[in-house]
């Protein structure tokens, strides 16, 4: 690297003589895995030199590992190093998912001349887009522990449930048995300040002019980033050549994309798995070898529609024909739990109807978010019918659908609420209720009261005042089948997906004192709480 630090890489090359385009993959998880070897052999056999590199401070590479902080310039130096090799023709692409995806975006901002295209998968967003709480998601400590030191740490030696329960959060690292200054620093910076802005790329798409193949899954726990990146790269200055060279692929997958036709209790069918290596090869062949394989003649968006379990091609994202449809909250004042009287319909609340629902949020007994304890996949297509028995979960459900209804696109909610605390949270979850009672989670989101106007400007709440809370519930593509019901839940916790708001208004992450908050959700003519669904009309 430019500062003299040596990074270690494995390079797979074709057996033939000559010059070849190159692919760079930079990872903190070790370059010698079975998956790395299989991918390296595949691309070498198809005429590419592919380099797997341990990022700075990990595995065989020298230097100190500080997540993301050096990846932009190290990525630049790595790309230009391989481009200058006598067996490289000077054209380079990048590939990789999750941390390896964000690395590509941070590298692209430095504009390495030899970088011609990228394939980022399941890419994390800018700080606080996935975790809009001002604090790391509690399960992030699992990743911090895993990547502490030079090699992978054994996650099975830690009782993660006890770690996530520990307060204050700034001491959570010590509960694992490994002190982490990185964790403590991230907790101390509890809003979007310069410490975090150094890692932002989603506000800089105008600086990146590259063809990009964006890949993720509807159940990816970092899903929100990929559609946002596609939108950002396609809604830029018309003069950018790459504006029309973006492609989006969204499957019915978790964070480990394209591994199985099943997820939880769901079976998506044999077509839900594709030959990902061949799919990526076509992209690199077009942009790095100049092979005319009709790639750019195809629709730019390919999505898997769950429920219908079919792939479909589209021309844009979100879809131009979307009918943005509000489903309003109604009740007789007792929407608490699955057994309450909450309903959901396209009919707006009228004068004279009951106007509000109430519940108590106790941080010492948060609403569970169903997930495995380690952070490799947070949540899935889980059945929330048991969770919905709690009185601190408001449940609103439509009548049985008389015909299939497709919802494809970004899901948002506008919730009018008040609290007797200085700060609190509101969560909204979208579910498909099957005739059996299985309440399938589709997607969800949350807002923290102090960040209702943005992550840069925390402002505490006035107790008793009614506020509109805009909740980004991410994206989905799903057909609610005839006889099913649409449901949303409203609560104030989803633990351990998000940290618990302690309701005191104190500085985040450094205290243990907690208070119970009394919450009110309004659904009247003046405050019509609703979820906005991207309904796709039948063709």
């Amino acid at each position: 690297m430019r500062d003299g630090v040596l990074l270690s890489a494995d390079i797979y090359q074709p057996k033939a003589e000559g010059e070849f385009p190159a692919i760079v993959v930079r990872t903190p998880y070790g370059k010698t895995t079975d998956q790395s070897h299989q991918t390296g052999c595949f691309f070498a056999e198809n005429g590419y030199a592919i380099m797997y590199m341990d990022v700075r401070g990990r595995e065989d590479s020298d230097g100190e590992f500080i997540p993301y902080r050096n990846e932009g310039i190290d990525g630049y130096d790595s790309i230009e190093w391989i481009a200058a090799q006598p067996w490289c023709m000077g054209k380079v692409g990048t590939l990789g998912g999750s941390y390896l995806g964000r690395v590509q975006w941070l590298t692209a901002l430095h504009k390495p001349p030899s970088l011609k295209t990228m394939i980022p998968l399941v890419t994390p967003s800018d700080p606080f887009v996935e975790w809009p709480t001002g604090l790391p998601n509690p399960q992030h400590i699992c990743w911090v522990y895993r990547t502490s030191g030079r090699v992978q740490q054994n996650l099975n030696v830690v009782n993660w449930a006890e770690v996530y329960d520990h307060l204050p959060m700034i001491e959570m690292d010590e509960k694992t048995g490994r002190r982490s200054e990185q964790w403590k620093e991230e907790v101390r910076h509890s809003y979007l300040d310069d410490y975090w802005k150094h890692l932002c790329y989603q506000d800089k798409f105008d600086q990146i002019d590259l063809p990009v193949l964006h890949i993720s899954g509807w159940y990816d726990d970092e899903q929100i980033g990929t559609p946002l990146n596609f939108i950002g790269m396609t809604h830029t200055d018309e003069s950018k050549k790459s504006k029309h060279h973006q492609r989006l692929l969204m499957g019915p997958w978790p964070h480990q994309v394209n591994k199985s036709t099943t997820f939880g209790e769901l079976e998506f069918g044999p077509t839900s798995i594709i030959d990902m290596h061949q799919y990526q090869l076509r992209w690199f062949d077009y942009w790095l070898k100049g092979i005319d394989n009709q790639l750019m003649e195809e629709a730019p968006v390919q999505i898997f529609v769950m429920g219908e379990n079919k792939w479909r091609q589209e021309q844009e994202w979100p879809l131009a024909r979307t009918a943005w449809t509000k489903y309003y909250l109604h009740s007789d004042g007792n929407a608490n739990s699955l057994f309450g009287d909450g309903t959901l319909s396209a009919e707006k609340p009228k004068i004279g109807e009951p106007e509000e629902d109430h519940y108590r949020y106790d941080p010492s007994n948060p609403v569970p978010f169903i997930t495995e304890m380690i952070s490799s996949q947070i949540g899935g297509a889980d059945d929330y019918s048991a969770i919905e028995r709690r009185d601190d979960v408001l449940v609103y459900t439509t009548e049985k659908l008389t015909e299939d209804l497709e919802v494809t696109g970004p899901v948002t909610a506008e919730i009018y609420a008040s609290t007797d605390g200085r700060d609190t949270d509101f969560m909204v979850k979208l579910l498909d209720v099957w005739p059996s009672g299985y309440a399938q989670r589709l997607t969800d989101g949350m807002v923290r009261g102090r960040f209702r106007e943005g992550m840069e400007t925390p402002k505490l709440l006035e107790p008793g005042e009614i506020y509109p809370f805009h909740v980004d519930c991410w994206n989905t593509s799903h057909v609610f089948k005839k006889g099913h019901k649409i449901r949303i839940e409203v609560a104030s916790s989803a633990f351990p997906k998000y940290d618990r708001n302690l309701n005191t208004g104190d500085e985040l992450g450094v205290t243990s004192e907690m208070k119970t908050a009394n919450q009110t959700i309004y659904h009247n003519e003046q405050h019509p709480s609703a979820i906005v669904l991207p309904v796709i009309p039948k063709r």
Side-chain angles (χ1 to χ4, degrees):
M1 300 295 103
R2 65 187 64 181
D3 61 356
V5 171
L6 295 176
L7 303 190
S8 178
D10 288 346
I11 299 175
Y12 299 76
Q13 294 174 253
K15 291 181 178 179
E17 297 295 326
E19 296 181 357
F20 304 94
I23 300 168
V24 171
V25 185
R26 304 185 63 252
T27 178
Y29 305 123
K31 63 184 181 300
T32 58
T33 64
D34 290 343
Q35 181 180 352
S36 301
H37 184 72
Q38 292 163 9
T39 301
C41 289
F42 172 82
F43 281 106
E45 290 164 358
N46 283 278
Y48 290 87
I50 178 168
M51 177 170 71
Y52 271 87
M53 172 181 281
D54 293 327
V55 300
R56 180 182 293 242
R58 293 289 293 157
E59 302 286 337
D60 291 331
S61 287
D62 292 342
E64 181 184 2
F65 178 61
I66 307 175
Y68 298 115
R69 300 286 165 171
N70 297 297
E71 305 302 4
I73 57 174
D74 283 356
Y76 181 107
D77 291 351
S78 304
I79 287 169
E80 294 309 309
W81 179 89
I82 200 168
Q85 301 310 303
W87 35 261
C88 182
M89 64 186 296
K91 290 186 176 181
V92 182
T94 55
L95 175 66
S98 195
Y99 189 102
L100 291 68
R102 196 185 202 174
V103 161
Q104 297 175 66
W105 289 103
L106 296 175
T107 298
L109 290 173
H110 289 263
K111 297 182 172 60
S114 303
L115 178 60
K116 305 303 179 185
T117 188
M118 307 191 300
I119 304 182
L121 299 85
V122 294
T123 306
S125 294
D126 283 351
F128 303 128
V129 175
E130 293 157 29
W131 313 334
T133 66
L135 293 173
N137 131 9
Q139 290 182 274
H140 179 58
I141 189 64
C142 179
W143 185 87
V144 171
Y145 180 92
R146 176 188 178 190
T147 56
S148 61
R150 302 193 68 84
V151 299
Q152 306 281 37
Q153 303 301 311
N154 184 355
L155 300 180
N156 296 323
V157 301
V158 176
N159 184 327
W160 291 107
E162 288 186 1
V163 171
Y164 303 149
D165 280 339
H166 183 77
L167 292 173
M169 282 189 69
I170 199 166
E171 297 175 359
M172 199 179 285
D173 58 323
E174 298 166 37
K175 191 71 175 176
T176 71
R178 293 182 71 91
R179 182 180 176 87
S180 169
E181 287 304 321
Q182 175 202 336
W183 174 261
K184 295 183 183 302
E185 192 74 2
E186 290 184 0
V187 172
R188 291 187 191 104
H189 291 270
S190 59
Y191 66 96
L192 187 57
D193 58 8
D194 289 341
Y195 173 84
W196 292 112
K197 288 178 182 179
H198 178 73
L199 304 184
C200 291
Y201 68 92
Q202 290 177 314
D203 58 347
K204 303 179 181 70
F205 290 124
D206 60 323
Q207 300 177 29
I208 301 173
D209 195 1
L210 291 169
V212 182
L213 173 55
H214 311 254
I215 302 175
S216 187
W218 301 124
Y219 280 108
D220 171 22
D221 54 35
E222 294 186 306
Q223 172 241 92
I224 188 173
T226 297
L228 285 177
N229 294 346
F230 177 80
I231 292 171
M233 290 293 288
T234 54
H235 291 71
T236 56
D237 194 318
E238 196 66 41
S239 64
K240 275 179 54 173
K241 291 185 293 185
S242 67
K243 178 183 176 74
H244 303 290
H245 298 157
Q246 308 297 309
R247 293 294 181 268
L248 176 66
L249 174 68
M250 298 292 295
W253 307 315
H255 196 58
Q256 297 296 321
V257 298
N258 201 45
K259 299 296 183 184
S260 172
T261 65
T262 62
F263 188 45
E265 298 182 33
L266 301 183
E267 168 61 58
F268 293 113
T271 65
S272 62
I273 296 296
I274 66 174
D275 189 333
M276 189 64 78
H277 278 159
Q278 286 291 341
Y279 194 86
Q280 295 167 344
L281 179 64
R282 285 191 70 215
W283 183 264
F284 284 136
D285 279 351
Y286 185 91
W287 291 108
L288 298 181
K289 290 186 176 180
I291 296 175
D292 186 7
N293 52 20
Q294 289 77 54
L295 182 74
M296 288 296 106
E297 297 174 17
E298 299 172 2
V301 175
Q302 186 169 345
I303 58 175
F304 188 91
V305 183
M306 300 183 295
E308 193 175 60
N309 291 349
K310 293 181 179 178
W311 288 99
R312 194 170 71 213
Q313 293 189 339
E314 297 288 350
Q315 294 300 319
E316 69 283 306
W317 184 268
L319 310 189
R321 64 184 185 280
T322 302
W324 302 98
T325 305
K326 287 189 175 182
Y327 281 78
Y328 295 94
L329 281 56
H330 303 268
S331 80
D332 287 331
N334 298 288
N336 309 75
S337 88
L338 175 66
F339 309 109
D341 56 20
T343 62
L344 192 66
S345 77
E347 185 176 333
K348 198 170 183 179
K350 298 177 182 177
I351 296 177
E353 290 184 10
E355 297 188 348
E356 57 199 47
D357 287 298
H358 305 270
Y359 65 94
R360 298 178 74 241
Y361 160 49
D362 181 358
S364 69
N365 182 26
V367 176
F369 184 85
I370 301 172
T371 184
E372 297 295 330
M373 283 294 99
I374 62 174
S375 60
S376 56
Q377 171 64 36
I378 302 176
D382 303 296
D383 180 3
Y384 272 80
S385 56
I387 304 298
E388 292 167 351
R389 292 172 174 264
R390 296 173 57 116
D391 283 344
D392 55 355
V393 179
L394 303 183
V395 179
Y396 302 89
T397 312
T398 66
E399 297 293 330
K400 289 183 179 179
L401 299 177
T402 57
E403 60 181 12
D404 291 358
L405 180 73
E406 181 184 336
V407 172
T408 293
V411 177
T412 59
E414 191 80 10
I415 301 298
Y416 292 88
S418 65
T419 180
D420 62 359
R422 297 302 312 279
D423 190 25
T424 197
D425 295 344
F426 293 102
M427 278 74 176
V428 177
K429 186 182 294 105
L430 174 66
L431 308 101
D432 179 349
V433 184
W434 295 48
S436 64
Y438 170 60
Q440 175 192 346
R441 169 186 169 262
L442 292 172
T443 188
D444 58 79
M446 63 86 64
V447 63
R448 176 151 289 177
R450 72 175 69 195
F451 294 120
R452 65 194 180 277
E453 296 180 14
M455 297 305 303
E456 295 180 81
T457 54
K459 295 181 180 179
L460 295 178
L461 301 168
E462 289 295 330
E465 185 170 336
I466 301 174
Y467 294 94
F469 293 99
H470 178 82
V471 185
D472 186 337
C473 297
W474 297 22
N475 306 266
T476 194
S477 181
H478 180 78
V479 173
F480 292 84
K481 305 297 285 186
K482 178 182 177 180
H484 289 219
K485 300 176 182 178
I486 304 170
R487 172 174 292 167
I488 71 164
E489 299 170 8
V490 179
S492 287
S493 47
F495 186 76
K497 181 177 182 178
Y498 301 109
D499 68 280
R500 295 164 286 174
N501 196 318
L502 305 184
N503 298 325
T504 62
D506 292 340
E507 186 178 352
L508 296 172
V510 297
T511 66
S512 303
E513 180 187 355
M514 58 179 71
K515 295 180 179 179
T516 296
N518 295 291
Q519 320 288 55
T520 303
I521 304 298
Y522 299 86
H523 43 78
N524 53 44
E525 188 179 40
Q526 188 177 0
H527 305 105
S529 295
I531 191 164
V532 184
L533 298 183
V535 174
I536 307 302
K538 291 185 177 180
R539 291 185 183 275

